[in-house]
Amino acid sequence: MKLPNRYGSVTKLSGNRRRPWIIKEGISGKQKVIGYAETKGAALAILASYNQNPWDIKTDKITLKELYELWLEKRAVKLGKSNQAVLKSAYKHCSRLSSMKYIEIKSYHMQDTIDECGRGASTQATIKSLWVHLDKFALELDIVQKRYSDILTSETPPETTKEIFTDKEVNRLWENKNLPWVDSVLFLLYTGFRISEMINLKIEKVDLEEQTMTGGTKTAAGKNRIVPIHSKILDIVKKRYSQSKGGYLFEHEGKRLKDGAYRKIWSNIMDTLKMNHTPHECRHTFRSRLDSAGANKVCIDRIMGHKSRDTGERVYTHKNIDELKLNIEKITK
């Protein structure tokens, strides 16, 4: 008989044992052992009993703090580390309700934690997200019968505009390419890399003979993607490659460059050259220039690390690497 998903498992161990049947729970996803039994029937009975109340909680008495800590242990571990970190930070704004029974927390209590946090749209949205996670968990455990988090509101994030670099600005960068770190701006403009992708790029991932780089972050389509080295920045890459001491293409004093340090460098460059751009606008400029040059959409998605409906399996053959090179060279200005 097949047991339901996340119900747990009952398995017979080998050898001559007094209690050969091992019982594992399936709720946490870690298959923790919860006991042993002499027969399969006894093992199934133990598992059924466990699933009636797997964490031995009193649904009418559990507090916000207790539910939150249980959620951290059982559910938050499945989230990414950065997501866990921001949700833990959001709990600080809810902690004044920590001793309150969760079953007694209403929508206006939750809304107050958002409205009175004194922070902007991003933090408010994270607090709301935490309540959604906790409500979903509480519903799963039959602590509540409805999710008040569904009606919570937070500030709308301000609209952001991305300004691409003009041709004049790109020319100004080339005219000043010998100024410290201006080469990094040009590198971003001709690769479409994010800051994190640039500063984490190791020289072992740079193939000067094939004139390609392998790097990337974020999504499955973005990781370990091949980006051709545009002919205009080949000398920049070669120079950085030869100067590397710590194994990274872009280094500060022979060590991996940190994000915060680079943002200060970026700010100084923008002040010196009288520009007003964010590093991420290099990525927008790169895509815009490829579009304007008539580059193949699938190639653009591959180079940028975006998922495309038309790419199929992301297999890099000599043929499609040559196609990527052909398309990136369409940026001629």
Side-chain angles (χ1 to χ4, degrees):
M1 179 182 69
K2 185 178 181 181
L3 298 175
N5 289 337
R6 296 178 64 191
Y7 187 80
S9 64
V10 167
T11 310
K12 189 175 184 180
L13 299 172
S14 61
N16 187 18
R17 302 167 187 261
R18 186 170 64 86
R19 294 184 298 164
W21 292 91
I22 183 172
I23 308 112
K24 296 181 180 180
E25 60 90 24
I27 294 177
S28 70
K30 295 182 179 180
Q31 286 281 290
K32 182 178 69 177
V33 175
I34 58 175
Y36 297 86
E38 294 182 9
T39 66
K40 184 176 182 180
L44 288 170
I46 292 172
L47 184 58
S49 176
Y50 177 83
N51 278 294
Q52 288 294 317
N53 195 358
W55 297 312
D56 192 26
I57 62 172
K58 294 179 174 60
T59 58
D60 60 334
K61 293 184 179 180
I62 189 169
T63 64
L64 169 61
K65 182 181 179 182
E66 290 168 341
L67 180 71
Y68 170 71
E69 289 175 347
L70 188 61
W71 172 80
L72 282 180
E73 178 189 350
K74 304 296 184 181
R75 293 290 177 266
V77 291
K78 298 180 181 180
L79 304 174
K81 289 185 178 180
S82 60
N83 199 1
Q84 289 183 45
V86 295
L87 290 170
K88 286 178 183 178
S89 180
Y91 179 72
K92 297 174 185 177
H93 299 286
C94 311
S95 58
R96 66 175 182 269
L97 303 175
S98 60
S99 61
M100 193 170 180
K101 295 177 183 177
Y102 197 84
I103 197 171
E104 294 177 355
I105 296 176
K106 307 301 180 186
S107 61
Y108 64 88
H109 292 117
M110 298 177 181
Q111 189 64 54
D112 282 348
T113 64
I114 296 172
D115 295 341
E116 297 173 10
C117 72
R119 301 297 178 86
S122 178
T123 300
Q124 290 186 29
T126 305
I127 298 171
K128 179 181 174 182
S129 178
L130 176 61
W131 283 119
V132 169
H133 279 289
L134 293 177
D135 249 4
K136 182 180 178 181
F137 190 45
L139 192 66
E140 179 185 343
L141 298 177
D142 290 327
I143 294 171
V144 297
Q145 302 303 312
K146 62 185 295 185
R147 296 189 346 182
Y148 288 115
S149 58
D150 287 342
I151 58 175
L152 298 179
T153 59
S154 59
E155 279 187 16
T156 304
E159 289 187 13
T160 57
T161 55
K162 298 293 183 182
E163 295 291 337
I164 67 171
F165 285 72
T166 64
D167 291 344
K168 286 184 178 181
E169 288 175 325
V170 175
N171 287 336
R172 198 185 316 160
L173 287 164
W174 279 114
E175 290 164 3
N176 292 275
K177 67 178 182 178
N178 292 324
L179 289 178
W181 291 98
V182 169
D183 63 337
S184 68
V185 183
L186 291 166
F187 178 86
L188 292 172
L189 281 169
Y190 284 83
T191 60
F193 274 151
R194 302 174 177 90
I195 286 183
S196 60
E197 294 171 335
M198 179 184 77
I199 64 179
N200 286 306
L201 183 62
K202 294 184 176 182
I203 58 171
E204 65 189 44
K205 297 294 185 179
V206 178
D207 189 331
L208 293 177
E209 185 176 341
E210 288 293 326
Q211 297 184 15
T212 60
M213 299 173 289
T214 304
T217 58
K218 295 273 187 178
T219 64
K223 292 178 181 177
N224 296 319
R225 67 183 187 273
I226 291 180
V227 176
I229 302 173
H230 194 290
S231 58
K232 282 188 170 291
I233 61 166
L234 182 57
D235 287 342
I236 289 174
V237 174
K238 285 181 177 179
K239 184 176 180 181
R240 284 282 181 176
Y241 188 101
S242 66
Q243 293 175 341
S244 175
K245 295 179 180 179
Y248 292 90
L249 190 64
F250 286 86
E251 298 175 346
H252 180 60
E253 297 179 349
K255 296 180 181 179
R256 176 187 171 277
L257 181 63
K258 294 184 178 179
D259 183 281
Y262 183 71
R263 290 185 185 278
K264 290 180 182 178
I265 290 169
W266 178 275
S267 180
N268 290 334
I269 294 172
M270 292 296 104
D271 288 343
T272 300
L273 299 183
K274 310 299 181 188
M275 295 183 189
N276 184 25
H277 289 286
T278 65
H280 203 69
E281 286 173 348
C282 288
R283 188 166 162 84
H284 287 277
T285 302
F286 178 73
R287 170 128 207 170
S288 176
R289 295 172 82 196
L290 283 173
D291 279 330
S292 297
N296 179 282
K297 301 296 183 185
V298 173
C299 287
I300 295 175
D301 283 339
R302 285 199 173 210
I303 295 170
M304 298 284 292
H306 290 160
K307 187 176 180 180
S308 173
R309 289 178 299 176
D310 302 318
T311 54
E313 291 187 28
R314 194 163 56 90
V315 178
Y316 291 99
T317 63
H318 282 296
K319 181 179 179 181
N320 56 36
I321 290 174
D322 286 343
E323 194 174 356
L324 295 181
K325 289 180 179 179
L326 182 65
N327 276 272
I328 204 169
E329 289 294 333
K330 288 178 182 278
I331 300 177
T332 56
K333 293 181 182 179

